[in-house]
Structure formats: structure tokens, C-alpha cells
Amino acid sequence: MIDIGSVSATVTASAATSFQHAADGSLLLAIPVAAIAGLVSFLSPCVLPLVPAYLSYVTGLSAADLAADRPTVSDGPGAAVALEALGARGHSGGGRRRSRVLLGSVLFVAGFSSVFVMFGAFFGFAGAHLDAHEVLVDRIAGGVAVVMGAAFMGWIPGFQREFRFHRLPGVGLAGAPLLGIAFGVGWTPCTGPTLGVVLGLAADPSTGTAARGALLTVAYCAGLGLPFIVAGLAFRRALGAFDIVKRHYAWVVRGGGLLLIVVGVLLITGEWTTLSIDLRDAIAPTYTPPV
């Protein structure tokens, strides 16, 4: 027979543990930082200019198709067949185009997210086994964050690199997750400064676990990936927004670099832990962790 009391105790302990994690001030601080870091990566000079090319690649649609209300093809003997194949017939065509863009964007984001989340889980797991060296690890992570912030702002020659593909073949949806994986593995010089800080937070020995590391990188991927998806669904408007960001790249870079440096200084000085405790006490002052 099922022991109702045992099941109830297990559920209660699980709920208490979940609440403990939710009330973790360090996590409440780290998740917004991770999401903002992802957004800064998206807006960086070596990612944002390539967004139209990536969208074209993962959907198989041209920039003109993405910007139009419905897909378009050049006039010619096969034009009518091509239009029908693309589903470009009134409202139905527009709906199919948006569905294709949404699916391609999500597959691309899922591709790089799978890579980054594995990184986060590994660093979180490693951090959990370094609790005897918590202060040293925090100082190393803080030092790395400060260096990454300085590199992001271009203060360290050779650290800031920009990649551009001259041509991306539009293979469409089948290649979207593969391109996402390639982005996650090979675009480290662009995402490295911001992702490195998130991985440093994931490796915090005082709170580090594989699940926590994965959660922080999910937040990072949300900050990086959601704007990509929105850009695909509202491509014409996104182009105007991109122009505004490009005109203010200096502020984006300074703001992103400053965020990384501030997090680094907080880790080095131990103030990150102090802020985490203060935040936890402010949100759940009467909470006592389960024994």
C-alpha cells in the first residue's frame, strides 16, 4: 500500500526546497543580470548586423520577403508555381510566412540554447564541488568579469572581434537548429564577454548546482533569443529599431561593459553575497530553510 504520510512529507519537502530556491537572493539577482547580458549580446555590433542574414538563412526567405506582408518572387515562367508553393495567397500566405518565420527562429534559438545551457549546467556542477574555495572562486569569477567588461568596451586590444558572413545559403528550416548550434559553439568571441559572466555566476560555490547553472543560461538565452524571434515576426519595424541601435552603439557597448564590470567588482569585494542575503531577507524575512 502507498504510505500517504510518506508521500505527503516528500511533497512538502519538495515544495519547501522549491521555495528555498525561489527565495534565494543570489538567484533573484543573477537571473535579471543573465537576461540583460543576453540582450546586450543581441545588441552588440557583431550580432545585431547579422540578424537579417540569419533570419533569411533559417527561414529560406529573402529580406524582401521578410519585410513584405507576403512572400514575393521574381516574374518568370515559374512565378505562379513558386507563389503557390510559398503559400503567398492573401491572408493564408501571410499566415504561413509568419508561421515559417516563427518556427525557423525558434529552432535557431533552440540550437544555440542547447549549447549554452549545457555550458551553464557544467559550470554549475563544477561550482558545487568547490565550496571549500568559495572566496577564491568568487574573486576569480569577478576578475574575469572585469576583464570581459573591459574587453567588451574595446579597452583590451585583440579581445573584441567581429565576424561577418558574405553569403549565407537559404537552406531554410532544416538548417535552423544546426546554425543555432554552430552559433553557440563558434560565436564565442562575440558572446564570450557576456556569457562568461553568466557562467561565472553559475559557478558560485555557495549556491552552484547544475540546475541553477542551466537556469541562468536559460535566462541568458531568453535575453538573446526572444529579440531575435520578435525581429523575425516584425521584421520591417525591427529594421527601423536596428538603425536606432546602430546609431547609439557606443552607449550599448558602454552600458553592457559597465554592467559586467560592476558585477565583477561585487564578486571580488564580496558585496554580491551581501546583496543576495539582503534581497532574500527582504522578500522572505521569516523563512527558515528546511533541516
Side-chain angles (χ1 to χ4, degrees), residues 132-215:
H133 308 283
E134 178 182 347
V135 175
L136 176 62
V137 172
D138 282 349
R139 288 178 178 173
I140 292 175
V144 170
V146 171
V147 172
M148 290 296 98
F152 190 82
M153 289 193 278
W155 292 351
I156 303 179
F159 271 65
Q160 196 175 48
R161 297 173 58 189
E162 185 171 343
F163 293 88
R164 291 184 183 274
F165 289 145
H166 296 291
R167 181 177 180 275
L168 287 174
V171 299
L173 300 179
L178 298 178
L179 181 62
I181 292 173
F183 177 91
V185 173
W187 225 245
T188 307
C190 286
T191 60
T194 49
L195 179 61
V197 173
V198 175
L199 295 179
L201 295 177
D204 184 353
S206 64
T207 54
T209 63
R212 183 180 184 277
L215 179 59

Side-chain angles (χ1 to χ4, degrees), residues 185-276:
V185 173
W187 225 245
T188 307
C190 286
T191 60
T194 49
L195 179 61
V197 173
V198 175
L199 295 179
L201 295 177
D204 184 353
S206 64
T207 54
T209 63
R212 183 180 184 277
L215 179 59
L216 289 181
T217 43
V218 165
Y220 175 84
C221 292
L224 175 58
L226 289 179
F228 184 88
I229 296 172
V230 171
L233 295 176
F235 187 75
R236 186 183 299 175
R237 294 181 180 179
L239 290 178
F242 290 173
D243 288 338
I244 295 175
V245 174
K246 289 176 183 178
R247 290 197 298 269
H248 297 86
Y249 263 149
W251 290 106
V252 173
V253 170
R254 290 170 186 168
L258 181 61
L259 170 68
L260 305 186
I261 291 173
V262 167
V263 172
V265 171
L266 290 176
L267 286 170
I268 292 172
T269 60
E271 288 302 310
W272 178 270
T273 301
T274 301
L275 288 174
S276 301

Side-chain angles (χ1 to χ4, degrees), residues 73-84:
V73 295
S74 302
D75 292 337
V81 176
L83 281 170
E84 185 175 357

